[in-house]
Amino acid sequence: MKKRIRIILADDHRMFLEGLHALLASTEDIKIVGLALNGMEVMNLLKKEEIDLVVTDINMPGMDGITLNSTIKKQYPHIKTLVLSTYSDPDKIIKLTNNKANGYLLKNAEKDELLKAIHTIYAGNNYFSREVQEKYTNSIFSGTTETEGAPVLSKREKEILKYIAAEYTTPEIAEKLFISQYTVNTHRKNLIAKLGVKNVAGLVKYAFQNGMA
Amino acid sequence: MKKRIRIILADDHRMFLEGLHALLASTEDIKIVGLALNGMEVMNLLKKEEIDLVVTDINMPGMDGITLNSTIKKQYPHIKTLVLSTYSDPDKIIKLTNNKANGYLLKNAEKDELLKAIHTIYAGNNYFSREVQEKYTNSIFSGTTETEGAPVLSKREKEILKYIAAEYTTPEIAEKLFISQYTVNTHRKNLIAKLGVKNVAGLVKYAFQNGMA
DNA sequence: CTGAAAATCACCATTCCTAGTGATTTTCAG
DNA sequence: CTGAAAATCACTAGGAATGGTGATTTTCAG
């Protein structure tokens, strides 16, 4: 008899967790060993059970997906991890690859892709969904930094973009970040130039389309 | 033989949608008639199928849960609705009750509560989870209910909102629509007031969250 | 250490946005 | 027909955004 893949599922939303459980329960070669509502529960389960793969949400109270992933990898380097997320945030993906996560998948994916990811990872390879790869090829998967595709925003610029999208004005942002209004102004001008938009409306639009707001 | 409850499930995340499907598929007296990734798909399904209950996420691109709910109630007053959300936002709950949604449940709820909500609503009663009820009554006493119906935007206002989200300035919009800048100005002011936002950034945000951009 | 990128600050001019008030005309359903 | 909502226009004023130019300091990888 073929060995089944032993999996723990982790997500802070019970409904999603139970749904995922039900979705995978019918699959022959997969065995759901445990369900966890947060990172702590995952670690407790790992002490008791033999696990092949942990499928976890990236956003969870207490210990989030990124911290959980690195914790798992430190204590149980042989256990594979697949991270799920609502959107594709480049920063988080980079952190996850640094922490040796074996896969990253959007919750928008279908069951088939989820199964494909699980099997690919179990076979010893990594799996990053196409949408994620396409968007962030430059920053992660290829060493070359081609600026043609996705405009590269600096840390500070992203920060300010978020504030703009959150309806903060220049004086407010300046006060929040303890910098001059002139500086905020410069950043906004650079953002507009880099992103090729016309005004705040364009900035907010970009922020939304890239999961930054 | 007892009649089964005919249900449509709607959520923009395929994985959650399929998971929910799998979760409910095993229930005897429930029949999942269709799955939808957005509001439009729900409305199309309603044309073809006889439905008792629509279970929908509150956050969806295109037509969101709130708009979807009111649209359903206008065209098919007999169809029940159960709205799911990640968190409990008093404002949104109030909008939903104004639009006669029959239930509101957090995604944090367990399968049992979901079934309970479905059966309660099918029996002709409303179901609002305890967490939601608490916040709802709080906001009633804080006095923000009277003036806050669902923000109904006029045709012209929607039109102008689209132009704003498309990075057009006031003079440009005025020229495009053959009206005075003063008029565009008035519309924008009304939009800001109606939607309870602070500036263009907020308008663009709203436009995006409601599939108008 | 060193150079490049990032982050910071400054000034000016123009345009645009925001806010308040008040008003007339048009549209549309009851 | 008629009233209410929608759409239109007008004026003022202050604050914010946009665009251009120039510069210094900080950070960080090679």
Side-chain angles (χ1 to χ4, degrees):
Chain A
M1 181 179 166
K2 200 176 171 183
K3 196 183 169 190
R4 296 166 79 190
I5 309 174
R6 293 160 300 186
I7 297 180
I8 288 178
L9 303 178
D11 194 295
D12 57 326
H13 298 304
R14 283 189 189 81
M15 203 177 287
F16 181 82
L17 190 63
E18 294 180 6
L20 204 57
H21 184 191
L23 192 65
L24 295 176
S26 58
T27 309
E28 279 296 328
D29 59 346
I30 287 178
K31 179 176 183 171
I32 305 299
V33 178
L35 302 179
L37 287 169
N38 54 58
M40 214 47 102
E41 292 187 19
V42 172
M43 298 313 292
N44 287 335
L45 282 169
L46 290 179
K47 287 175 191 163
K48 300 173 194 167
E49 305 281 348
E50 288 263 322
I51 301 297
D52 298 308
L53 173 64
V54 175
V55 178
T56 178
D57 184 25
I58 201 170
N59 293 313
M60 286 189 296
M63 192 188 295
D64 69 359
I66 293 174
T67 314
L68 172 62
N69 183 69
S70 64
T71 309
I72 291 175
K73 290 297 179 181
K74 277 176 195 163
Q75 295 187 33
Y76 311 92
H78 62 286
I79 294 181
K80 312 285 186 183
T81 53
L82 170 59
V83 179
L84 302 179
S85 175
T86 305
Y87 57 100
S88 47
D89 182 337
D91 285 347
K92 292 188 175 174
I93 296 172
I94 289 170
K95 282 181 188 168
L96 284 167
T97 50
N98 289 341
N99 286 317
K100 315 289 184 193
N102 302 102
Y104 188 96
L105 204 57
L106 297 183
K107 285 188 178 178
N108 195 30
E110 296 179 24
K111 181 187 178 185
D112 287 345
E113 189 173 7
L114 174 60
L115 291 177
K116 189 177 167 189
I118 290 176
H119 290 134
T120 303
I121 291 174
Y122 185 63
N125 301 308
N126 290 348
Y127 188 95
F128 289 81
S129 67
R130 196 174 47 76
E131 298 96 321
V132 172
Q133 285 191 40
E134 279 177 1
K135 276 195 179 179
Y136 309 108
T137 302
N138 301 333
S139 48
I140 312 170
F141 300 98
S142 71
T144 58
T145 36
E146 298 291 334
T147 48
E148 295 303 324
V152 180
L153 301 185
S154 74
K155 200 173 167 184
R156 199 56 150 177
E157 284 168 346
K158 284 179 194 169
E159 194 177 7
I160 288 181
L161 178 53
K162 280 180 193 171
Y163 277 108
I164 291 174
E167 299 184 45
Y168 286 92
T169 65
T170 297
E172 287 170 347
I173 298 172
E175 196 188 356
K176 279 230 167 233
L177 299 181
F178 303 106
I179 57 179
S180 161
Q181 294 192 17
Y182 295 117
T183 306
V184 178
N185 215 6
T186 302
H187 283 307
R188 193 188 43 242
K189 282 183 287 189
N190 290 336
L191 281 166
I192 290 177
K194 275 192 183 181
L195 302 179
V197 298
K198 200 177 159 193
N199 49 32
V200 250
L203 291 179
V204 177
K205 218 163 119 187
Y206 177 90
F208 248 80
Q209 289 172 332
N210 292 78
M212 305 176 67
Chain B
M1 181 181 167
K2 200 176 170 183
K3 197 183 166 191
R4 296 167 79 189
I5 309 175
R6 293 159 300 186
I7 297 181
I8 287 178
L9 303 178
D11 194 295
D12 56 326
H13 298 303
R14 283 190 189 80
M15 204 178 286
F16 181 83
L17 190 63
E18 294 181 4
L20 202 57
H21 184 192
L23 192 65
L24 294 176
S26 59
T27 310
E28 280 297 328
D29 60 345
I30 287 178
K31 179 177 182 173
I32 305 298
V33 178
L35 302 179
L37 288 169
N38 53 59
M40 215 45 104
E41 291 187 18
V42 172
M43 297 313 293
N44 287 335
L45 282 170
L46 290 179
K47 287 177 191 164
K48 300 175 194 165
E49 307 280 350
E50 288 263 323
I51 301 297
D52 298 308
L53 174 64
V54 175
V55 178
T56 178
D57 183 26
I58 200 169
N59 291 314
M60 287 188 296
M63 192 188 294
D64 70 0
I66 293 174
T67 313
L68 172 62
N69 184 68
S70 65
T71 308
I72 291 175
K73 290 298 180 181
K74 277 177 195 164
Q75 295 188 30
Y76 310 93
H78 63 285
I79 295 181
K80 311 285 186 183
T81 53
L82 171 58
V83 178
L84 303 179
S85 176
T86 305
Y87 57 102
S88 50
D89 182 337
D91 285 346
K92 291 190 176 175
I93 297 170
I94 289 168
K95 285 177 188 168
L96 284 167
T97 50
N98 287 343
N99 286 319
K100 313 293 183 191
N102 301 102
Y104 188 98
L105 204 58
L106 296 182
K107 285 189 178 177
N108 196 31
E110 296 179 24
K111 180 188 179 184
D112 285 346
E113 189 174 7
L114 174 60
L115 291 176
K116 190 179 168 189
I118 290 174
H119 290 134
T120 304
I121 292 173
Y122 185 64
N125 301 307
N126 289 349
Y127 188 96
F128 289 83
S129 65
R130 196 175 46 76
E131 299 96 319
V132 172
Q133 282 189 38
E134 281 171 4
K135 292 206 176 180
Y136 178 60
T137 48
N138 284 342
S139 65
I140 281 178
F141 292 127
S142 61
T144 46
T145 37
E146 293 307 318
T147 50
E148 287 206 307
V152 179
L153 301 186
S154 73
K155 202 173 165 185
R156 199 56 151 178
E157 284 169 345
K158 284 179 192 168
E159 194 176 6
I160 287 181
L161 179 53
K162 280 180 194 171
Y163 277 108
I164 291 175
E167 301 182 46
Y168 287 92
T169 65
T170 297
E172 288 169 347
I173 298 173
E175 198 189 355
K176 279 231 168 234
L177 299 180
F178 304 105
I179 57 179
S180 160
Q181 294 192 16
Y182 295 118
T183 306
V184 179
N185 215 6
T186 301
H187 283 307
R188 193 186 43 240
K189 280 184 288 189
N190 289 337
L191 280 167
I192 289 177
K194 275 192 183 181
L195 302 180
V197 299
K198 201 177 158 192
N199 50 32
V200 245
L203 291 179
V204 177
K205 216 163 118 186
Y206 178 90
F208 245 79
Q209 289 172 332
N210 292 280
M212 306 178 65

